[in-house]
Amino acid sequence: MSGATAPTSIGIMDLLDLLHDTMSSPWVYLAIFTIAVLDGFFPVVPSETAVITAGVFAASGAPYLPAVILVAAAGALVGDHISYAIGRAGGTRLLDRLPPDGRRRAAIDRARRGIATRGGLILTVARYIPGGRTAVTLTMGAVRYPRRRFLAFDALAASSWGLYSALVGYVGGLAFEQDPLRGLLLGLGLALTVTVVVEVVRWLRNRRIAARADEPGSDAVSAGVVSRPADAR
């Protein structure tokens, strides 16, 4: 048993040493920025993981926490605007290519109905939902949500997201200053809990909206909500 445990312990220590060396490098800020940009329109690697990890190690002094928050927010802002531009250029053709029964198509349909009246709130909340943020920004571009309003609300959303993600990791790092692995697990667990809570609230809200849609006269209201963004050009 001891022989099987030792390699595992060494492997974890090597991983922590590699993470520590990476987080101590000035290149980490460019890496966080790049990941946040890509996650805005092509969510390959969740950017929360990178920012939370940086926040955990920031509790030990490196990287610098305010810089992590700044580059994460800037990357998220740029990535969201790229997604918005793709949606605005591709329009309905891009949305029509999504599978009709897919989760992303369903998310876009829900976003389209609410953007007209609550675009800023939806954009801010969606920034905390991996995958959902891309659906919302693409849709806002496709329905030609006013660019200036998008910039204003997205600046708020990206800034709050960068602050939240970095501080979640930072809290985990402070709680387990001598054990960064546990700090990282705590940070990721807190972020996952928040995401689950947001998803549950959104699911309950969608059920309430669906129940209202079954009431007489709801079709006319829904049609009015969907059609408004097309006029705000």
Side-chain angles (χ1 to χ4, degrees):
M1 293 295 293
S2 59
T5 308
T8 303
S9 302
I10 294 175
I12 293 176
M13 292 303 298
D14 289 342
L15 176 60
L16 291 177
D17 289 340
L18 177 61
L19 279 175
H20 185 272
D21 292 341
T22 301
M23 293 299 164
S24 302
S25 170
W27 290 101
V28 70
Y29 304 111
L30 178 60
I32 293 172
F33 176 83
T34 303
I35 292 174
V37 170
L38 292 175
D39 192 34
F41 64 96
F42 188 62
V44 179
V45 178
S47 52
E48 283 88 355
T49 303
V51 181
I52 290 172
T53 301
V56 170
F57 283 87
S60 301
Y64 185 50
L65 182 63
V68 171
I69 297 172
L70 179 62
V71 297
L77 186 67
V78 172
D80 288 348
H81 274 72
I82 292 175
S83 179
Y84 174 91
I86 293 173
R88 194 176 179 94
T92 55
R93 289 181 301 174
L94 182 64
L95 301 182
D96 290 341
R97 292 177 184 175
L98 295 176
D101 298 329
R103 293 181 60 185
R104 289 189 178 182
R105 181 59 176 269
I108 286 176
D109 290 340
R110 288 194 299 268
R112 187 196 296 272
R113 290 191 293 268
I115 281 173
T117 55
R118 298 177 298 276
L121 177 61
I122 291 174
L123 178 61
T124 303
V125 173
R127 175 111 281 277
Y128 294 84
I129 305 174
R133 67 187 62 142
T134 307
V136 170
T137 51
L138 277 172
T139 305
M140 294 183 89
V143 301
R144 296 186 176 272
Y145 189 81
R147 196 185 299 270
R148 289 184 179 180
R149 293 182 64 187
F150 180 84
L151 173 61
F153 285 121
D154 195 48
L156 174 63
S159 299
S160 64
W161 172 83
L163 179 65
Y164 153 78
S165 299
L167 287 182
V168 163
Y170 189 76
V171 168
L174 288 179
F176 296 97
E177 192 169 356
Q178 303 302 321
D179 193 343
L181 180 59
R182 290 188 178 183
L184 178 58
L185 293 176
L186 174 61
L188 293 175
L190 289 173
L192 179 61
T193 300
V194 171
T195 301
V196 170
V197 170
V198 171
E199 283 289 326
V200 170
V201 171
R202 189 165 64 92
W203 179 75
L204 291 174
R205 181 174 172 276
N206 288 336
R207 285 193 62 185
R208 186 177 63 181
I209 292 175
R212 288 181 178 179
D214 293 334
E215 297 177 358
S218 61
D219 292 341
V221 175
S222 300
V225 170
V226 174
S227 62
R228 283 179 194 171
D231 298 331
R233 299 188 181 185

